[in-house]
Amino acid sequence: MEIKKLTTVEEMEAATAKLLETAEKVGADTWQQRVKNQTPHCGFGEKGTCCRICTMGPCRITPKAPKGICGCDVHGIVGRNYLRFTAGGASAHSDHGREICHTLYQTRADGNYTIKDPEKLLKIAGEWGIETEGRDIYDIAHEVALTGLNEYGKPFGTQRFLSRAPEERRKVWEREEIAPRAIDREVSTAMHMTHMGCSSEPNALIRQALRSGLSDGWGGSMMGTEFSDVMFGTPRPVDTEANLGVMEKDMVNIIVHGHDPSLSEMIVFYANDPEMIALAKEQGAKGINVAGVCCTSNEVAMRHGIPMAGNFLQQENVVLTGACELIVVDVQCIFPALGPLSKCFHTKFVTTSKIAQMPDSEFMHFTAETAGENAKAIVREAVLNFKNRRPELVNIPNLKQKATVGYSLEAIKKCLDGVTNSHVDALGTTKPLVDCIRSGVLRGAVAMVGCNNPKVRPDYAHIELMKKLIKHDIIVVLSGCSAQAAAKAGLMDKAARTLCGEGLKRVCELVDIPPVLHMGSCVDISRMMLLASDISCDSGWDIPQIPLVGCAPEWMSEKAVSIGNYVVATGIDTYLGVDPYVKGSDQVDGLLKGGLREWVGANFVVEYDIEKLGDMMIQAIEDKRAALGI
């Protein structure tokens, strides 16, 4: 097999530079210019040393003023800010899960949404003690949905999905008093703790940050993932394409962007409706092309092979191609700038959620009850807008790579079963993976997640770290925008196995997988937690002992902080390329970067130099191997 030609970051940047010329031509404002306008950033904000939770301030901590007006010191202020950041992220991911629960409750045999994976539904029902014998599958689905919704506000007990974690991990959570209770209670408690006149003790604040994060990862996010699989199908490997070149010059281009697959699934369905395709041809187009941005892109790529146009910092680029008829969004990670930018072109910018309403957009409220009607109307708007395209502004970069996506936990186990011919366990096993790690064929694994951030050269950290890791026989599992970075570069093409060390290369050839595995969107990091739990059970290693680390080199959002907290609390060291705004307090900084290990067996590591960050992860994996005697 010939050496795989990657798309380089330099090639992507050159394509963006051409698109920015178009932006300048039409007078559009872009994130690159806004970054310049906002630089330098507020030093107090970056250190976490400013407080505005009451109106006696705002207060800023300086050598001259070491305490706020209420007397809170820098450690309390930084800790409160960190906890509030976590609560924001946990609320967003968990509200996503709540909407998926509501959608599951709307499933009907003849409805907009149906059950695509009844086996997974029955498995969850069995875990939760819900009777299934002799019952209609939709009656079961409705009871599971109601039980899931009760996880948000139940008065007693902890999250049901905690039972999926190894017993040793559950004991740690109970011992440290961070086992999450009702999801909304943990977010509400975080907000209450950080109200003026409540907690200012760093240990208490960080402990609640872990608990809030766990309510997301082992609660709201896990339900969002599992129930999406039930309704839309558990992902299996599927081939697709990635980068801006997936947009089609002669077709109606619809971009789906956001996070909730309830919307994107219906858009994909109606984009394939013969009536809509016929209408597109009447307008002079060859057909309808749907492509994705951000986590919605991951959702439809791994279930339908829908191409991935780009990740977070490419959302403006899809409009700048001049070939986007309509960009439809739901929630999270959406630039308000898309409204005014779209008005510089023929593009329609459609918002659909009351949670994410924005100026200069066309609001078309999308609900589970009216999903089919809503989606068809949105697709029709896009088709009818094709005739308004301005040909002189069309510039689709000639960048496109093949990618194989959709490696859910179930898919990974099936791939491993196919190699070992071991079907003793109907649910599959990770034992072949454990054997590869024990023998040294694989050195370990890195779970790479997260966003893009203008503070880090976009996509460069993701791509360069992946190349470095696979060269050292470390397999990489991905979700969110890091997954799209890999796909755009060509690292999710099976041909990229030529870039691996000899051990990983042999594994990839034997199992017929790419060297980096797409596990889904950002809520699907819960899949990674279950993978770690299964490896723990199959190997006899406690999760902190596994030669596995997490990495978010370009993270930027509150959700990423929540994710980091639940990954670390699950026992997985997590390496960051952007600091979480805690440097102003040596106590909080020390806890996150060291002290947490005494609580949960893992902690954060922050390193801005990407080469050093990669070396540190490789060394950590080798240290874990040495400690295990392998």
Side-chain angles (χ1 to χ4, degrees):
M1 186 181 292
E2 64 182 61
I3 296 293
K4 174 64 184 172
K5 172 66 169 69
L6 298 185
T7 298
T8 66
V9 173
E10 288 78 10
E11 288 173 308
M12 296 184 208
E13 290 171 340
T16 295
K18 282 287 186 184
L19 294 174
L20 293 179
E21 290 177 11
T22 304
E24 188 174 357
K25 185 188 302 183
V26 299
D29 145 284
T30 62
W31 68 259
Q32 288 88 347
Q33 184 58 49
R34 295 191 296 273
V35 167
K36 291 179 182 178
N37 295 343
Q38 285 292 338
T39 305
H41 299 292
C42 171
F44 293 100
E46 287 190 320
K47 291 181 180 179
T49 56
C50 55
C51 180
R52 51 177 298 278
I53 62 172
C54 79
T55 60
M56 293 191 293
C59 296
R60 301 180 301 179
I61 300 302
T62 67
K64 183 180 177 181
K67 293 184 179 180
I69 291 169
C70 70
C72 188
D73 65 15
V74 69
H75 310 299
I77 288 173
V78 171
R80 289 190 308 208
N81 287 337
Y82 183 81
L83 177 51
R84 285 205 164 200
F85 220 81
T86 303
S91 68
H93 261 165
S94 293
D95 219 29
H96 172 162
R98 191 195 321 260
E99 287 302 314
I100 296 296
C101 288
H102 278 291
T103 304
L104 180 62
Y105 189 74
Q106 295 296 326
T107 54
R108 300 287 187 276
D110 58 350
N112 289 311
Y113 300 104
T114 59
I115 302 302
K116 299 281 180 62
D117 191 340
E119 290 80 12
K120 176 164 277 196
L121 175 64
L122 293 174
K123 177 177 177 289
I124 296 168
E127 288 180 57
W128 289 1
I130 293 171
E131 182 60 49
T132 61
E133 189 68 32
R135 296 182 65 189
D136 178 80
I137 196 70
Y138 289 95
D139 287 342
I140 297 169
H142 300 158
E143 185 171 352
V144 167
L146 286 172
T147 305
L149 286 167
N150 194 49
E151 292 292 276
Y152 287 84
K154 63 185 182 185
F156 306 107
T158 55
Q159 290 295 290
R160 290 173 179 267
F161 276 146
L162 298 189
S163 63
R164 293 179 162 189
E167 182 181 3
E168 186 60 35
R169 189 57 12 191
R170 298 198 302 271
K171 288 179 180 177
V172 168
W173 293 337
E174 292 295 336
R175 182 192 73 211
E176 300 300 331
E177 298 184 346
I178 58 173
R181 302 158 296 180
I183 298 165
D184 289 349
R185 181 176 184 183
E186 300 306 353
V187 173
S188 181
T189 295
M191 298 307 290
H192 186 183
M193 284 181 73
T194 55
H195 189 276
M196 190 275 153
C198 288
S199 290
S200 56
E201 203 284 313
N203 279 27
L205 294 163
I206 300 306
R207 202 175 291 277
Q208 181 59 27
L210 295 180
R211 200 172 201 176
S212 296
L214 284 167
S215 76
D216 166 9
W218 291 84
S221 279
M222 196 166 285
M223 285 194 289
T225 292
E226 294 290 84
F227 294 171
S228 291
D229 286 354
V230 166
M231 290 184 287
F232 311 131
T234 298
R236 296 288 186 267
V238 61
D239 293 333
T240 187
E241 294 179 317
N243 221 328
L244 288 169
V246 303
M247 298 182 72
E248 299 284 353
K249 185 175 181 179
D250 299 322
M251 298 181 77
V252 174
N253 288 299
I254 300 174
I255 298 296
V256 291
H257 174 21
H259 288 76
D260 187 342
S262 302
L263 169 65
S264 52
E265 284 283 326
M266 298 305 292
I267 296 294
V268 170
F269 179 84
Y270 280 99
N272 287 292
D273 182 353
E275 179 187 341
M276 292 294 101
I277 293 172
L279 182 61
K281 291 179 178 178
E282 287 177 18
Q283 305 302 308
K286 290 184 178 179
I288 303 172
N289 178 48
V290 179
V293 166
C294 229
C295 278
T296 281
S297 176
N298 288 309
E299 296 280 1
V300 291
M302 66 187 177
R303 294 193 175 95
H304 303 287
I306 294 297
M308 300 190 284
N311 43 8
F312 175 63
L313 285 180
Q314 276 190 288
Q315 60 185 281
E316 292 178 330
N317 286 9
V318 295
V319 177
L320 290 171
T321 63
C324 175
E325 272 62 59
L326 184 146
I327 180 165
V328 57
V329 304
D330 43 69
V331 294
Q332 300 169 19
C333 299
I334 300 151
F335 280 178
L338 288 176
L341 176 63
S342 294
K343 289 185 178 300
C344 296
F345 296 84
H346 77 298
T347 306
K348 287 183 177 289
F349 175 46
V350 177
T351 52
T352 60
S353 171
K354 289 186 175 180
I355 288 173
Q357 299 183 69
M358 298 181 186
D360 297 311
S361 71
E362 183 177 343
F363 182 66
M364 299 178 68
H365 191 206
F366 184 91
T367 68
E369 295 86 347
T370 60
E373 174 189 335
N374 300 150
K376 191 171 185 179
I378 291 168
V379 172
R380 180 182 292 275
E381 284 234 9
V383 169
L384 295 177
N385 195 31
F386 181 76
K387 62 181 179 293
N388 297 319
R389 186 187 288 186
R390 297 166 62 186
E392 72 277 10
L393 294 180
V394 174
N395 174 22
I396 300 173
N398 186 27
L399 293 177
K400 186 163 60 175
Q401 286 279 3
K402 294 179 180 178
T404 302
V405 300
Y407 289 93
S408 61
L409 177 57
E410 292 84 354
I412 289 172
K413 288 181 175 180
K414 186 174 182 181
C415 288
L416 294 171
D417 281 348
V419 174
T420 61
N421 295 315
S422 170
H423 300 283
V424 176
D425 182 351
L427 297 177
T429 177
T430 64
K431 288 179 181 177
L433 180 60
V434 173
D435 290 342
C436 284
I437 293 172
R438 277 201 171 108
S439 68
V441 175
L442 292 181
R443 306 307 293 173
V446 170
M448 193 175 296
V449 305
C451 334
N452 301 126
N453 191 322
K455 290 185 173 182
V456 181
R457 186 179 177 188
D459 290 334
Y460 180 81
H462 289 138
I463 293 168
E464 292 307 309
L465 284 171
M466 291 174 210
K467 287 160 59 179
K468 185 182 186 81
L469 292 166
I470 64 176
K471 184 179 179 181
H472 284 79
D473 291 323
I474 295 170
I475 194 166
V476 183
V477 292
L478 304 170
S479 72
C481 287
S482 66
Q484 288 156 338
K488 290 189 300 177
L491 288 166
M492 282 185 175
D493 189 334
K494 292 176 183 177
R497 59 183 66 149
T498 56
L499 302 168
C500 301
E502 287 304 313
L504 178 56
K505 182 180 177 181
R506 288 206 309 275
V507 171
C508 289
E509 289 173 345
L510 186 63
V511 188
D512 192 27
I513 56 174
V516 295
L517 299 181
H518 177 278
M519 292 196 79
S521 65
C522 53
V523 295
D524 294 332
I525 295 168
S526 58
R527 299 190 201 275
M528 297 176 177
M529 300 305 98
L530 295 178
L531 176 58
S533 296
D534 281 3
I535 291 172
S536 175
C537 293
D538 289 338
S539 66
W541 303 326
D542 191 11
I543 289 178
Q545 295 178 295
I546 299 171
L548 162 70
V549 300
C551 181
E554 302 183 27
W555 74 274
M556 63 86 201
S557 75
E558 292 174 316
K559 292 183 299 176
V561 173
S562 178
I563 291 165
N565 283 326
Y566 75 69
V567 172
V568 167
T570 300
I572 301 169
D573 289 310
T574 299
Y575 290 73
L576 309 176
V578 178
D579 195 87
Y581 292 173
V582 296
K583 289 184 295 185
S585 164
D586 57 4
Q587 290 184 24
V588 175
D589 195 54
L591 264 177
L592 296 180
K593 297 174 185 174
L596 293 184
R597 187 169 296 279
E598 296 180 13
W599 298 359
V600 295
N603 55 247
F604 291 99
V605 178
V606 179
E607 175 53 61
Y608 307 134
D609 184 306
I610 297 306
E611 189 68 24
K612 290 180 182 177
L613 189 67
D615 289 339
M616 292 166 77
M617 288 191 287
I618 293 168
Q619 187 59 54
I621 286 170
E622 293 300 333
D623 289 346
K624 287 174 183 283
R625 293 182 61 85
L628 289 168
I630 59 173

